């Protein structure tokens, strides 16, 4: 079901002038630093609009960007109360023999007892291969058991063109692959569903393990204002990759670069692309986080309507200096059958800025709706008869 949404009183400040259009040639030109990078994307999460993309749905080897999904699975387990950050882990002798000093590393041994917190810092800041395997084996019993959780999370997030075969991104003959569009979905879920855990483990330039400083290779944190992660990756086969994000003034941008031939090329492009996303584009505010966007019809519930809300501040992203027409459409499969849980994703808001591709922002149930009781069914039937 689709509902056209008028820009009325709740979004008066964002409403464009009637019939306004972007000026001819007003769509910003992406920075030249992207020229030699085969895969790229930049998305404004507040509007869902893609500001720049090149081969966004072409699978590529993620290398250590794989570890972002390992961290996300850990966040899910922590959020569900099944994993404590203080839980200690021990390394199997076989794991030490295989992974000690193999690529970037925490140099764990069988004598160490790192906590889940230690391992997540090692994974996200130091990109430690051994930490990812110790977490995977220690929690799921095996790498295979852990990667099953990674693929299940990918499926639930709609990452339909990605597959995980390893927790750390080590070369595996191409069995682990992702797309730029899919990584944006992962970054979106990580930053919006687990913001506290994201802030604790992402965006740090260094972290101390034992008495050794483990350093991040993130090219934007501490350089681009608002940048707070997420992960670089490199193997000879994959090239130099980066999943990055930054937040300024309520706007969060997510970018992916993949297959860069040199780290310098990737790093300069990452900084230029984020700055371009903030400086060349502006926003028109539409809804506050948690504000009701629309009412959806409910079937068989103790309420006839359900408020649909966004889990973020919502805006339209427009070329700076323009005043285009903005059209909003709410889409959901309706009427929505009860029972419905608060926070369950039930639809999306489509944002169309004239002259640009549409963006989509997920919408969630703003309250619980239980199954209809006898009185509810009677009232609903009576109202339905006269509708």
């Amino acid at each position: 079901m689709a509902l056209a949404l008028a820009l009325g009183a709740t979004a008066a400040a964002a409403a464009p002038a009637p019939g306004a259009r972007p000026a001819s040639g007003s769509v910003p030109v992406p920075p030249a630093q992207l020229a030699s990078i085969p895969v790229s994307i930049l998305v404004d999460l507040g509007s869902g609009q893609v500001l720049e993309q090149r081969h966004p749905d072409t699978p590529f080897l993620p290398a250590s960007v794989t570890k972002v999904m390992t961290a996300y699975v850990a966040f899910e387990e922590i959020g569900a109360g099944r994993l404590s950050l203080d839980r200690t882990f021990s390394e199997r002798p076989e794991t030490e023999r295989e992974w000690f000093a193999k690529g970037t590393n925490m140099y764990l041994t069988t004598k160490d007892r790192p906590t889940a917190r230690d391992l997540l810092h090692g994974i996200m800041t130091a990109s430690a291969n051994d930490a990812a395997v110790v977490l995977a084996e220690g929690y799921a019993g095996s790498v295979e058991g852990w990667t099953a959780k990674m693929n299940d999370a990918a499926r639930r997030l709609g990452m339909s063109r990605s597959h995980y075969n390893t927790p750390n991104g080590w070369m595996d003959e191409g069995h682990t692959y992702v797309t730029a569009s899919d990584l944006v979905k992962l970054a979106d879920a990580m930053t919006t569903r687990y913001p506290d855990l994201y802030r604790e483990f992402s965006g740090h330039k260094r972290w101390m393990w034992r008495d050794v400083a483990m350093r991040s290779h993130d090219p934007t944190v501490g350089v681009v204002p608002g940048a707070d992660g997420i992960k670089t990756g490199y193997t000879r086969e994959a090239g130099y990759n980066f999943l990055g994000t930054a937040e300024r003034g309520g706007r969060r941008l997510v970018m992916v670069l993949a297959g860069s031939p040199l780290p310098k090329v990737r790093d300069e492009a990452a900084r230029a692309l984020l700055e371009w996303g903030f400086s060349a584009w502006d926003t028109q505010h539409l809804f506050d986080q948690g504000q009701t966007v629309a009412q959806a019809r409910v079937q068989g519930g103790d309420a006839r309507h359900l408020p649909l809300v966004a889990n973020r501040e919502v805006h339209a992203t427009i070329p700076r200096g323009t005043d285009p027409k903005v059209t909003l459409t709410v889409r959901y499969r309706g009427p929505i059958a009860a029972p419905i849980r608060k926070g369950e994703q039930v639809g999306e808001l489509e944002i169309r800025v004239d002259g640009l591709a549409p963006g989509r922002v997920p919408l969630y149930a703003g309250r619980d709706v239980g199954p209809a009781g006898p009185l509810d069914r009677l009232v609903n039937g009576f109202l339905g008869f006269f509708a």
Side-chain angles (χ1 to χ4, degrees):
M1 180 173 290
L3 300 174
L5 198 64
L7 294 179
T10 58
R21 298 290 188 275
S24 176
S26 63
V27 177
V29 177
Q33 290 89 336
L34 294 174
S36 61
I37 297 179
V39 174
S40 62
I41 194 170
L42 180 68
V43 178
D44 188 327
L45 294 188
S47 65
Q49 292 172 243
V50 178
L51 308 185
E52 187 280 335
Q53 63 180 347
R54 183 181 300 180
H55 305 300
D57 298 316
T58 299
F60 63 88
L61 306 179
S64 283
V65 177
T66 300
K67 297 183 178 88
V68 179
M69 179 57 87
T70 283
Y72 180 77
V73 169
F75 289 1
E76 285 197 324
E77 298 303 305
I78 293 165
R82 293 186 291 264
L83 174 61
S84 166
L85 285 171
D86 296 323
R87 173 176 166 177
T88 59
F89 289 77
S90 58
E91 185 176 35
R92 298 185 309 127
E94 299 87 346
T95 303
E96 181 183 349
R97 286 194 295 270
E98 180 178 0
W99 290 103
F100 186 84
K102 190 174 183 178
T104 50
N105 223 265
M106 281 178 67
Y107 303 98
L108 294 168
T109 72
T110 55
K111 297 179 181 179
D112 292 314
R113 294 295 180 269
T115 64
R117 180 178 280 105
D118 294 329
L119 294 175
L120 283 169
H121 276 298
I123 290 165
M124 290 294 286
T125 300
S127 193
N129 291 316
D130 54 349
V133 175
V134 169
L135 177 63
E137 293 180 337
Y139 186 80
S142 66
V143 164
E144 293 76 17
W146 183 264
T147 55
K149 290 182 176 294
M150 297 170 74
N151 288 312
D152 179 61
R155 177 189 58 79
R156 288 183 281 107
L157 292 175
M159 298 173 63
S160 59
R161 295 182 177 89
S162 299
H163 181 265
Y164 293 94
N165 186 61
T166 166
N168 57 19
W170 193 261
M171 295 163 285
D172 63 354
E173 299 181 343
H175 294 295
T176 296
Y177 53 86
V178 297
T179 68
S181 295
D182 281 353
L183 286 179
V184 170
K185 295 175 182 177
L186 176 57
D188 188 345
M190 177 173 273
T191 55
T192 58
R193 299 184 187 183
Y194 303 100
D196 293 339
L197 289 169
Y198 174 75
R199 284 190 292 269
E200 180 171 355
F201 295 106
S202 185
H204 303 289
K205 292 298 289 183
R206 51 181 278 166
W207 172 73
M208 298 297 297
W209 168 245
R210 300 195 188 101
D211 294 323
V212 178
M214 314 292 280
R215 301 187 183 278
S216 166
H217 296 290
D218 189 303
T220 61
V221 171
V223 179
V224 176
D228 54 11
I230 302 176
K231 193 77 193 64
T232 59
Y234 167 76
T235 63
R236 290 187 300 275
E237 291 83 355
Y240 293 89
N241 303 334
F242 181 50
L243 170 60
T245 181
E247 186 175 30
R248 291 186 199 169
R251 291 182 66 197
R252 180 169 288 280
L253 304 182
V254 171
M255 60 168 294
V256 178
L257 301 176
S260 174
L262 296 168
K264 181 180 179 181
V265 171
R266 175 198 63 191
D267 296 354
E268 291 179 353
R271 293 189 283 264
L273 187 57
L274 282 178
E275 289 289 3
W276 173 81
F278 286 113
S279 63
W281 298 83
D282 207 345
T283 62
Q284 290 184 354
H285 179 267
L286 298 174
F287 301 97
D288 294 328
Q289 181 178 354
Q291 183 180 348
T292 297
V293 174
Q295 297 281 344
R297 290 176 56 201
V298 174
Q299 181 178 36
D302 58 11
R304 300 192 71 215
H305 294 91
L306 172 73
L308 304 182
V309 303
N311 66 347
R312 66 199 71 192
E313 183 270 341
V314 180
H315 51 252
T317 308
I318 62 173
R320 188 172 294 276
T322 66
D323 189 24
K325 179 182 178 181
V326 177
T327 305
L328 307 181
T329 306
V330 173
R331 300 186 184 278
Y332 68 93
R333 292 185 179 273
I336 304 172
I340 307 164
R341 293 174 300 169
K342 181 179 179 180
E344 178 182 351
Q345 184 176 343
V346 292
E348 64 181 16
L349 174 65
E350 180 182 271
I351 302 170
R352 285 189 173 271
V353 175
D354 200 39
L356 304 175
R360 293 175 177 84
V361 174
L363 295 177
Y364 300 87
R367 53 160 290 186
D368 292 328
V369 177
L375 181 59
D376 297 312
R377 288 193 293 270
L378 180 64
V379 171
N380 289 342
F382 179 79
L383 294 175
F385 179 79
F386 288 100

